[in-house]
Amino acid sequence: MKRTLGVCYYPEHWPEETWEEDAARMAQAGLTWVRIGEFAWSRIEPEPGRLNWDWLDRAIATLGRHGLKVVLGTPTATPPRWMLERHPDMLALDAQGRPRGFGSRRHYCFSHRGYLHECRRIVRLLAQRYGQHPHVAAWQTDNEYGCHDTVVSYSDAARHAFRDWLRARYGTIAALNAAWGNVFWSMEYHDFDQIGLPNLTVTEPNPSHVLDFRRFSSDQVVAFNRAQAEIIRAFSDRPIAHNYMGRVTDFDHFRVGADLDIASWDSYPLGFLEDRLEVDADWKRRFARQGDPDFQAFHHDLYRAVGRGRWWIMEQQPGPVNWAPYNPAPLPGMVRLWTWEAFAHGAEAVCYFRWRQAPFAQEQMHAGLLRPDSAPAPALDEAARVAAELADAPRVHAAPAPVALIFDYDADWAWAIQPHARGASYFALVFDHYRALRRAGLSIDIVGPDCRDFSGRRLVVAPGLMHMPDDLKTALAESGAQVLIGPRSGARDASMRIPVPLPPAFPGLDVTVSRVESLAPGMEMPLQGGGQIRLYREEIEGGATPVLTLADGAPAAMRAGNVTYMAGWGDGAALDRLVTMLADQAGLTRLPLPEGVRIRDTGAERFWFNYNPYAVDTPVGRLDPAGVLRQSF
Amino acid sequence: MKRTLGVCYYPEHWPEETWEEDAARMAQAGLTWVRIGEFAWSRIEPEPGRLNWDWLDRAIATLGRHGLKVVLGTPTATPPRWMLERHPDMLALDAQGRPRGFGSRRHYCFSHRGYLHECRRIVRLLAQRYGQHPHVAAWQTDNEYGCHDTVVSYSDAARHAFRDWLRARYGTIAALNAAWGNVFWSMEYHDFDQIGLPNLTVTEPNPSHVLDFRRFSSDQVVAFNRAQAEIIRAFSDRPIAHNYMGRVTDFDHFRVGADLDIASWDSYPLGFLEDRLEVDADWKRRFARQGDPDFQAFHHDLYRAVGRGRWWIMEQQPGPVNWAPYNPAPLPGMVRLWTWEAFAHGAEAVCYFRWRQAPFAQEQMHAGLLRPDSAPAPALDEAARVAAELADAPRVHAAPAPVALIFDYDADWAWAIQPHARGASYFALVFDHYRALRRAGLSIDIVGPDCRDFSGRRLVVAPGLMHMPDDLKTALAESGAQVLIGPRSGARDASMRIPVPLPPAFPGLDVTVSRVESLAPGMEMPLQGGGQIRLYREEIEGGATPVLTLADGAPAAMRAGNVTYMAGWGDGAALDRLVTMLADQAGLTRLPLPEGVRIRDTGAERFWFNYNPYAVDTPVGRLDPAGVLRQSF
Amino acid sequence: MKRTLGVCYYPEHWPEETWEEDAARMAQAGLTWVRIGEFAWSRIEPEPGRLNWDWLDRAIATLGRHGLKVVLGTPTATPPRWMLERHPDMLALDAQGRPRGFGSRRHYCFSHRGYLHECRRIVRLLAQRYGQHPHVAAWQTDNEYGCHDTVVSYSDAARHAFRDWLRARYGTIAALNAAWGNVFWSMEYHDFDQIGLPNLTVTEPNPSHVLDFRRFSSDQVVAFNRAQAEIIRAFSDRPIAHNYMGRVTDFDHFRVGADLDIASWDSYPLGFLEDRLEVDADWKRRFARQGDPDFQAFHHDLYRAVGRGRWWIMEQQPGPVNWAPYNPAPLPGMVRLWTWEAFAHGAEAVCYFRWRQAPFAQEQMHAGLLRPDSAPAPALDEAARVAAELADAPRVHAAPAPVALIFDYDADWAWAIQPHARGASYFALVFDHYRALRRAGLSIDIVGPDCRDFSGRRLVVAPGLMHMPDDLKTALAESGAQVLIGPRSGARDASMRIPVPLPPAFPGLDVTVSRVESLAPGMEMPLQGGGQIRLYREEIEGGATPVLTLADGAPAAMRAGNVTYMAGWGDGAALDRLVTMLADQAGLTRLPLPEGVRIRDTGAERFWFNYNPYAVDTPVGRLDPAGVLRQSF
């Protein structure tokens, strides 16, 4: 697969007479792809049933004339104002019970059948018209599912759909009452129609109730997306993508991905560092113009898994964004670095968002490749440089990594429902492990919780999987790989209850979690030999061999056979010790890296990236600030 | 009275075949009491009018067979789902006007007459059936009134009941207008039916309006509880208790207690320290596994007063809880210490919450005496050790303490309505005084604001009583005890107005508060000789003798006869100076104690407690970490 | 114009028998003015249509008998309870959609036509009765428009009025769609009646939508006030004032002021410092008892402009207030200092709020000149001292200042809608410039954004004017004065879009803002030679001359002719450098002052003020703590 570049473009925002020059400049910069259409419903169908295709036909023709390939988006993330007159109750309700109104985007409830019907209709019309169009080379469904906290809705539509979902899952109300433990506070139901949504309760609702509601909410996204994908496939053989948003975990990306051909994500390194990471102010300041050195890589590896190998960046930050609390400009060179890093992780394409900075509406402070006055913004040069570099770069077929890291959306919801410690999140726990693996110079494949085939893996890291089906335990135990689990592995059954025998109940591993506790900042528990347990800790007992020990002699990690159980949330030093121990055991070659320097092996090449604002010497030469080195094996 | 232990148990949560063994193990551990039933309405009455007593009969029989005595709870804190179909408007409304829905517990408004009727019905049925049952030895009404902020409701039911309450209090609308000063902003009413609840006003509502609403809300709890107690008494001669929750001050515990035979409270030392105390992070860390050294004692002394001498711990924390921001495990020995401390303060019984950790629903991360797999949790051994120690411990009849501290719920509401300084709370002010008395080794009786008999007291401490009836002032002035009042003593009349002559207007004390101010952190005002005034300060004038003086020479405390007025919120050092001065004046023997070490005299014994995680040497020997020493007089 | 003092008085709060003595004491203290009536609607019209003038007649007569002049307030800020029965939908709705109910004050929506009608009626009745009354010497409309966040309402009345306002502004919906850029996210409308209010959208609403709504909301205040002023003028030739509240920027004070004869404001230096200023805790502590040294002066200069030269203090803080998080007492002497400072800035009158501290209702903890028991509070002496000092003080005709500072409410809204950096506010930016000018000892005139005549000015400072009409640019360019603009000057067109050519597009100034970014704390960018850029920064290019340069050589400020463009938010040191540079260029004499010492020139005199709690030596002698020196030229 050839590595390519692209850009997001909104012909409807600009006078038609500028399209030709825009297209010419895109081609000149070395771009291949142009994504269009995903917010254009009010122009495609200005009034219900009155379709206006002419402008879109001409826009696609103009782009195609310059050799550009179009990614066509379905416009369902921004229903026009008239849609609300047809479906006044289509709005999602927030957790406070307030409708989330018209005037921005994503103002729909995934459970509303009338709106789903409208989406099917417009997608069918779009697919019929452009499914075989020579210049339409790929599709995008909707836009950034879940962005702006839009997965979970407390509407009537959601309530009714949730009851149906529960009926299908449990069959009888008695089964549901038992699964949820509703006897606890006289919460038993006699009928599914008595079940409400778990918001605005007096104190916390039943965690089983909430987890099922979160699963249901995720399933509604899956169904919504599948409806679009099925229609497109009926009329088009071009690949279908969706553009996921960074650190949105409210729905199961793997399950949505199963209905797609390509996974893509929208990478805004500076906004994410400022707004979506549990890091301290010093870290934010240090990487403020470069982004976190591991956050993008994590998502690259995640979406490679979601796309079953095929993945893109659909939106790449090209300059300051508009939406974070603070919005600095990138260090010169970072747009190039981010692009190359995506390719190093196997991306097929990287598309910049957006072509020209919009002078109006919500994103007018979001940079583009061009300024609002059409002069080049700094990113245009960096993009063109990558395009030139790509000309003689080898095609890459990513090799499977020897290290696998399991990521499970269901576990993320379970932790969110029951963190036990303020601020404890599954994502952060997994990401801490990912960072430690990267500090050791390891390349990683992320895999989903349904993975049972670990052949070829030498190390599998699976922290915090609150529910672990038996066949996953077996697959890991028999994988031959070194396996790291804990804390909270198998801590809950499928209905969010504590299983008996107590966790982890892992085959061949005589370890039992006898008690759990959480630790406020300042209560960290030091390990003998370095590192500490923070935030969340388990007391464990059993016959396995202690491999990490607390200062008071209590075991912090135990091991039997190929499986190591970590009984708490390790800090960086503790995780480094675990990674060292297990990587050595697995026969993996570690290459400890300084903070801000990262490597990624593709099979044929090793890439070096420098996220620091200063140069760093490496074994393969000097890495400039924002520098990239490519080393062939 | 013999000191006894007990446990909270939920037979409805477990297979019936486990009950027998559970009961046997309880008896074996030395427990006497088993509280049951308080959340079981959906099992007692699965459908309206269909009563199912069989399982409860069998559960009580099983427990009784093993010599255990049952405390039977009325199940009114958790109305079943069907109740909402009968009374859709029974839910409380929060201050934002949102119904507080089904799905957890305490989802009722105290003012809803339909629900009150249902409660009377179920309590009558329960009392009729078990009022004379040989194994039912005590009653508990409802569960933790006020927990989860459930006293104050902004429902229609509350609005109408409040109007009736105001009619009864004021008689005429003119009297109400005058009492509230409604002329102030043209807030005058012509009819009681025009009066709303004091939420969602443009800026703060009239403080007199709010205070009456808080009093009304408290009275609704009193009436709700009285309705249950009267019915139980009609059928049973067993004592009636309620289990109050720590630091819930939204209703008058004394007035509820007047209808009970026994006061009890639910003691969660680690959760309370983490979640409900105005202490800094260092203090929280220092006592994270032990709890605050004074918080439990304060409540013990409070509920001894509420119960007019008879009080229990109905729920004692046995391990990590589930509900605080961080939930550490107790230091080994603390469960025993907490239990003995309750006895030292006169408790008749200490019951652990709960027997076995529930593997499902909201409290699945709350420890019990048993783990979910029925293996013993660490607390079981500590409980059994106390049971053994109790065998040869003397019965205790607590002697009245020479020091009395007045606690007034009405004053707490008044401070909450008008703190003047961010974070200034009456509870915290009184607790600061309590701490200082305890640091001096003094044992304390808490008394309510209706106390007029101070005979036998040598020191009466009464800070912050914003409203002081004349007969209370007289009783204190004539008590012969040293009396400490201020700040804000008598600062408001019964309708929350500033009285003229200005406060404190205390007989025999020529002190006038001429001006009040509040002080941000960093503005503390040093006292000559040590200590400082913080947060809240008064300028005072008059002919009394200054006994504490600010650096600029202004008086900070003045004294005449037996009465000392403190014109501000003293820090620890200032309060230590006041306590020293007054205790010496009163001829009390002080025993200054190191932080974390506390004593309590019962009359026959002196108990020593060590809340520190290290050993401390005392005049009576070495106190281990979490250690208890009993010294006979 | 003679300088005078006054006081706010509520005869309806006190027994009629006290009025005579109150009036006598006011006169004895040297007061001239008594403001009354503004909250008395429920006493003037206890029931709809039943007018009760007698008490008010007598109160005015009593005051007049003692030579006092009455400022009569219209009572429309506190509609009585019966008004709600006539107009149940008159309440404003907050951004969450909740009605803002009865029980405090300002519970009306400016857009409600029924309530506006009632206001016209009561104002007409009042003006008819007292318009020519010998003792009524001035009027006040309503009270503190905008206080308690009451300008913006999300009611149905506001929605309908907003649509009409938009119809009038845009004519056609197509014009509105184009102006707002509604194509962006398919937000296009077909009819004005489809347009909602910009609250409760899924993510941020269109900034053009919000800005128009803010302008509309401001216009509703202007119209509301104009309705009253027109009626009063029809019956009375006495001057009309409104009392603005400090740092309320939600409506355009200049436009309201255009319908008034006198501007006045309510000055609470200690409350404002604690509650309404972006200063750190050290600064707050340092000036906790004195107030910020520039905040009052800023408002004095602002309202001198709003009143076109005629301005008062209608409410002057006399002691601790009740509404800030902390409410300390003023340093002795500060009440006098604040009063003299107002006169130094040209005030005609300073009225203290209030005569006697109210013992009831919301402001019972707000000090007055008298205590609740009618004894003098400390401020009474300070007021009387000023009255004595005024006897032989010269009348002052303020001379225009050589420095003008432009303040634009529209710019404040634009910054609030699109701060780009958390906490970046236009008010704070302008105030930082004001401080720097004052540190240099300069006296300042504030002017509104409609000012085009800069004759006589030697320096014009105009930071952050996000929209700059062409004729303003021209007027500044041709003014002959040194002009300082930037950051964000002309950054948006009248519809909140980025203009092309890019900003600032200032005649004669070859500077283009090529990119903007925002900087988190810790990311400050040092300037060569001292100072730094913080929070908000622009990259600029062009042929103008760099006058401030960043460490990396990029220009931070550029200059051409008389215009200097500052490309970011300068810290104190940077602004001091700019002021030095431009004042020297303008030939202004600077007098660098120590923090806390400020001067103000009136034309005939120079006043020195010491906000420090310690004495300071000045060229004209020793300035006591809270001291005032008057130096004749």
Side-chain angles (χ1 to χ4, degrees), chain A residues 383-443:
Chain A
R385 180 174 166 196
V386 176
E389 291 168 337
L390 282 175
D392 62 348
R395 298 182 171 218
V396 170
H397 301 277
V403 180
L405 176 69
I406 302 180
F407 188 80
D408 177 15
Y409 290 90
D410 198 82
D412 191 75
W413 309 330
W415 277 75
I417 292 164
Q418 197 174 75
H420 205 47
R422 177 180 287 161
S425 100
Y426 171 76
F427 181 93
L429 177 75
V430 174
F431 190 54
D432 277 1
H433 284 73
Y434 184 80
R435 280 191 191 286
L437 293 165
R438 297 252 298 169
R439 281 195 296 267
L442 298 170
S443 291

Side-chain angles (χ1 to χ4, degrees), chain B residues 319-503:
Chain B
V321 298
N322 62 304
W323 48 265
Y326 304 98
N327 300 289
L331 184 73
M334 286 308 300
V335 173
R336 173 176 169 262
L337 182 151
W338 295 329
T339 307
W340 269 112
E341 193 179 32
F343 290 132
H345 287 259
E348 298 178 3
V350 174
C351 301
Y352 301 97
F353 182 86
R354 51 191 277 157
W355 175 243
R356 185 189 292 106
Q357 183 173 346
F360 45 67
Q362 279 90 336
E363 294 181 351
Q364 57 187 253
M365 302 200 79
H366 193 301
L369 295 182
L370 303 189
R371 308 189 322 199
D373 64 354
S374 296
L380 184 63
D381 274 353
E382 298 198 24
R385 180 173 166 196
V386 176
E389 291 168 338
L390 282 176
D392 61 347
R395 297 182 171 219
V396 170
H397 301 276
V403 180
L405 177 69
I406 302 180
F407 189 81
D408 177 15
Y409 289 90
D410 199 82
D412 192 74
W413 309 330
W415 278 74
I417 292 164
Q418 198 173 74
H420 205 48
R422 176 182 288 162
S425 100
Y426 170 76
F427 181 94
L429 177 74
V430 173
F431 190 55
D432 277 0
H433 284 74
Y434 184 80
R435 280 191 191 287
L437 293 166
R438 297 253 296 170
R439 279 194 298 266
L442 298 170
S443 291
I444 301 133
D445 281 342
I446 291 179
V447 301
D450 295 336
C451 178
R452 296 292 178 272
D453 175 8
F454 298 98
S455 57
R457 308 299 183 183
R458 290 155 80 177
L459 172 59
V460 180
V461 177
L465 284 176
M466 279 185 70
H467 173 54
M468 292 187 85
D470 287 343
D471 63 340
L472 174 59
K473 290 179 178 175
T474 306
L476 287 169
E478 298 175 354
S479 68
Q482 291 296 316
V483 173
L484 175 63
I485 61 170
R488 292 192 110 170
S489 293
R492 294 294 177 273
D493 69 10
S495 290
M496 193 82 189
R497 293 171 305 199
I498 300 173
V500 175
L502 294 181

Side-chain angles (χ1 to χ4, degrees), chain B residues 61 100 200 270 287 314 324 335 340 354 425 468 506 531 586 604 630:
Chain B
R100 306 185 69 187
L200 295 175
L270 305 193
F287 293 106
M314 193 62 89
V335 173
W340 269 112
R354 51 191 277 157
S425 100
M468 292 187 85
F506 200 93
R630 205 168 67 200

Side-chain angles (χ1 to χ4, degrees), chain C residues 29-97:
Chain C
L31 306 183
T32 298
W33 298 95
V34 187
R35 185 195 65 174
I36 66 171
E38 83 275 15
F39 298 132
W41 198 336
S42 74
R43 288 294 166 98
I44 293 171
E45 190 179 13
E47 292 169 33
R50 181 163 71 78
L51 279 304
N52 183 357
W53 299 112
D54 295 1
W55 70 272
L56 187 54
D57 290 348
R58 292 195 301 275
I60 294 174
T62 304
L63 295 166
R65 206 153 50 234
H66 290 269
L68 298 159
K69 301 187 199 176
V70 167
V71 182
L72 189 56
T74 69
T76 51
T78 52
R81 181 62 180 82
W82 54 256
M83 188 68 74
L84 266 176
E85 278 146 34
R86 289 164 76 107
H87 305 286
D89 60 347
M90 66 172 279
L91 302 174
L93 263 62
D94 69 17
Q96 311 306 314

